[in-house]
Amino acid sequence: MTARAAPGWLTQWEYAHRGLHGPGAEGLVPENSLAAAEGAMARGMGIECDIQMSADGVPMVFHDWELDRLTEGTGPVVSRSADEIEALRLLGTDQHPVRLARFLEVVAGCVPLLIEIKSLPGFNIAAACLAVSEALADYEGHFAVMSFDPRMGAWFFEHRSAFVRGLVGTDTYDGGFLSAWRAPGALDQAHPDFLALDIRDLPNAIADLWRSDRRPLLSWTIRSPHLRSHALRCVDALIAEGDGLA
């Protein structure tokens, strides 16, 4: 596992979880939308966003594996081309899912990005990592890539070692990687510059040891004043939304 120092910007920001989304003065702002990104930038927050892959191998800023919850479409995200996904509306609004490349154009380095690459056991993480790295090749703003899947960190360590890498972990939410961050060899495989752990699992001995070595600990998802107060005592940067925002 690498021992390089993480960049200072990483812990100097609070991050809007999936952008600044929810009810707004002009109506609903969908998660991971351009409007959510613009809202976070206007509030002076960094942005956490998610990546799913289209059928034609384009990284899309979208959280779920299925289209059903967030769009009028149905079925897996990966069953549609990037053009087809971008034509869908988010939650009945005038917002649409967008390619990572378009998202980067809008953010344009104004605030830092935490880019979570979604994965499942058996998922072709290498193809997703390569596509994301190509989208980021000429991006001049601050960003970090992260995933629950330790294979993501391993890929970037080998192929794009300059990228800031994070390992996301949870002992509570079973989305295919329950406690995977604790598995023997996971940290050595992922080579993370930071951990982003479920606030419900903090504090814990591994996280405390990580921080004692002056390595950054981020936490998600801060959704209430109580969780915010708790997180401020035990982590270095917050990934927050809703009532958990300052």
Side-chain angles (χ1 to χ4, degrees):
M1 184 172 63
T2 58
R4 68 178 181 181
W9 61 261
L10 184 66
T11 56
Q12 293 168 0
W13 292 78
E14 181 168 329
Y15 298 89
H17 184 239
R18 305 180 196 170
L20 197 62
H21 63 92
E26 299 182 5
L28 179 66
V29 178
E31 64 184 59
N32 278 320
S33 65
L34 293 182
E38 290 164 347
M41 289 189 287
R43 191 159 171 164
M45 298 183 69
I47 300 166
E48 184 269 348
C49 65
D50 303 286
I51 298 298
Q52 292 280 3
M53 300 301 295
S54 70
D56 46 349
V58 178
M60 308 298 297
V61 181
F62 199 84
H63 178 271
D64 296 3
W65 290 93
E66 305 287 328
L67 294 164
D68 304 57
R69 179 177 71 90
L70 295 167
T71 79
E72 71 266 43
T74 60
V77 177
V78 74
S79 69
R80 307 280 191 106
S81 70
D83 287 344
E84 290 172 330
I85 295 168
E86 286 190 318
L88 299 171
R89 292 188 303 163
L90 289 166
L91 299 176
T93 70
D94 63 354
Q95 295 290 300
H96 302 263
V98 296
R99 304 161 196 249
L100 175 59
R102 174 61 180 145
F103 200 82
L104 296 174
E105 288 176 357
V106 170
V107 177
C110 292
V111 300
L113 293 170
L114 301 178
I115 301 169
E116 182 189 339
I117 302 173
K118 308 305 288 186
S119 180
L120 287 172
F123 178 70
N124 186 352
I125 193 74
C129 290
L130 177 59
V132 169
S133 71
E134 289 175 345
L136 289 164
D138 297 320
Y139 188 66
E140 296 183 354
H142 293 314
F143 68 87
V145 290
M146 61 185 192
S147 179
F148 285 93
D149 193 332
R151 295 177 299 159
M152 185 280 296
W155 190 94
F156 281 103
F157 177 73
E158 180 178 355
H159 299 284
R160 300 290 188 275
S161 61
F163 283 18
V164 181
R165 305 176 296 272
L167 181 62
V168 187
T170 180
D171 301 320
T172 301
Y173 168 67
D174 190 359
F177 290 96
L178 184 67
S179 299
W181 74 282
R182 291 179 176 269
L187 293 177
D188 288 333
Q189 179 184 12
H191 297 280
D193 298 303
F194 66 96
L195 295 179
L197 300 183
D198 191 330
I199 187 59
R200 296 169 292 184
D201 304 325
L202 297 173
N204 63 63
I206 298 177
D208 289 346
L209 183 61
W210 179 268
R211 287 189 83 204
S212 73
D213 198 29
R214 299 185 178 181
R215 309 196 71 181
L217 176 64
L218 283 62
S219 189
W220 54 275
T221 302
I222 314 306
R223 292 191 171 102
S224 71
H226 169 73
L227 288 177
R228 182 176 187 83
S229 177
H230 176 57
L232 289 172
R233 292 193 298 268
C234 58
V235 306
D236 303 300
L238 281 61
I239 303 171
E241 67 175 44
D243 292 338
L245 297 166

